Amino acid sequence: MRTIIEPFRIKSVEPIYFNTKEERQYILETADYNPFLIHSTDVIIDLLTDSGTSAMSSNQWAGIMQGDESYAGSPSFFRFQETIQQITGMPLVIPTHQGRASEKILFSILGGKGKYIVSNTLFDTTRANIEFSGAEGVDLLCKEGKHPSIPAPFKGNMDVEALKNFVAEKGAENIPLCMITVTNNSGGGQPVSMQNIKDVKEICVANGIPLFIDACRFAENSYFIKTREKGYENVSVREIAKELFSYADGCTMSAKKDAFANIGGFLAMYNEDLALQCRNLLVITEGFPTYGGLAGRDLEAIAIGLNEVLDENYLQYRIRSIEYLANKLIEAGVPIMQPAGGHAVYLDAKEFLSHIPVEQYPGQALVGALYLEGGIRSVEIGSLMFGKYDNDGNLIPAALELVRLAIPRRVYTQSHIDYVAEIIIEVFKNKTAIKGLKIIEEAQMLRHFTAKLKPIQ
């Protein structure tokens, strides 16, 4: 096979500032071993998140100049709305400033004490907004998704039998929403099959439970369906996405992922009564329904990006570039979530640092080691992010201890990725020198954003 090249040319560049290992040691200590507290100028390769960090295209930048900033009825909104309607088939479109704002509005209306929101796996802000409403978020990940080192084509699927049992146990009247995240971010960026979405939809219909899609990475998931699920080999990604959304009653999206935008998101749905409630809350918290916390220029950039992400040449390059890094690590014996995810490579921190117990946060320790060795910023997706405490104050660990290396879209070249692989392999060779961490300060919710830690001596 020939090399799959980037389906774009670079038109503008931004300098990277290089620091020394000694300087990074001081920076890490000053940031209390939390990558969110490190200044971006002190980072060499930033893989903290793929959210809002994409490189926008020349067409998007041109579209920004077309943005109409009228308070109400901007033509930029109608282009935004029409694009989303065409892709999702959903007639009611509500703009928000980002995905968590969509979640806040949705769960403020549908959540509440005694209610359960079930999902394949909820990400951090989604779970936080559910819990803030008083409801409980429940993850029903398929069995394959719980074994990082064993490859399977759709490890992001929901456990259908577990869903049936949960509905029978808790009662459909206590489950106002079922949500499928595509791709499954907390579960290693793994895709969800079309068949799984159909099966979940069937259960939801039988029990009168609305099904929503968390659509942050819908295009990447659709490409996986095309390449991995029988019967979709000759179907376009755009058509696959349209079918995927057809099984849902609504969706939320952070446009900072698959729409290549630096900010923005939306809610889309069919239910007019729910949409009216969402718009009423939108006016209080975000803005008028035709801008929803966004500038007209952002609405334009999102509309253009949503069409660009469905380019199959881009998606082939995107998925292959993640596989490229994953394969390099697998060849070196580094334990990772297999197969490669759609937007990130996930290191299996529990296996990588098997000498560090989960209560000493091996994922966060690995995050610090990668920054110290090579200036790479990543994020822990494990017991720091998702861990809870029991009544005695003991840690209830997360199901998986992962470190996510989220690759921003259209930002880094192959040589950057080669460098990342070299640093990870170097850290792996010297892993026994890495020490666990303990928390010295934490917030009640979303603690991983602001927590302060220090090494255990």
Side-chain angles (χ1 to χ4, degrees), residues 284-337:
I284 297 171
T285 61
E286 293 281 296
F288 193 73
T290 58
Y291 77 88
L294 291 171
R297 55 183 175 268
D298 299 316
L299 295 169
E300 294 281 358
I302 292 167
I304 293 166
L306 283 169
N307 282 311
E308 289 182 348
V309 78
L310 293 168
D311 174 8
E312 294 187 18
N313 288 323
Y314 159 75
L315 287 167
Q316 180 191 38
Y317 147 77
R318 171 67 170 169
I319 301 304
R320 182 67 189 94
S321 65
I322 308 298
E323 289 176 347
Y324 175 81
L325 175 57
N327 290 341
K328 276 184 166 286
L329 299 178
I330 292 168
E331 289 170 8
V334 177
I336 69 167
M337 173 68 78

Side-chain angles (χ1 to χ4, degrees), residues 7-12 54-66 260 300-301 304-305 308 410:
F8 52 82
R9 290 187 292 267
I10 296 170
K11 206 166 189 177
S12 181
S54 300
M56 288 201 296
S57 68
S58 55
N59 283 339
Q60 285 181 293
W61 284 111
I64 281 174
M65 298 306 295
Q66 297 291 326
F260 301 112
E300 294 281 358
I304 293 166
E308 289 182 348
R410 305 189 295 204

Side-chain angles (χ1 to χ4, degrees), residues 33 86 111 161 172 174 202 217 266 274 318 392 409 436:
Y33 294 84
Q86 288 174 348
E161 288 304 314
N174 297 314
E202 186 177 335
R217 301 172 181 89
F266 62 85
L274 178 59
R318 171 67 170 169
D392 297 322
R409 295 161 183 81

Side-chain angles (χ1 to χ4, degrees), residues 195-224:
Q195 187 59 54
N196 187 249
I197 294 170
K198 291 180 185 178
D199 292 342
V200 171
K201 175 65 172 179
E202 186 177 335
I203 296 169
C204 288
V205 169
N207 291 279
I209 300 170
L211 174 62
F212 269 59
I213 300 291
D214 179 343
C216 294
R217 301 172 181 89
F218 78 96
E220 292 172 4
N221 199 98
S222 297
Y223 186 79
F224 278 123

Side-chain angles (χ1 to χ4, degrees), residues 271-288:
N271 187 311
E272 292 187 359
D273 290 337
L274 178 59
L276 177 61
Q277 293 179 69
C278 289
R279 288 192 176 116
N280 289 340
L281 191 51
L282 180 89
V283 171
I284 297 171
T285 61
E286 293 281 296
F288 193 73

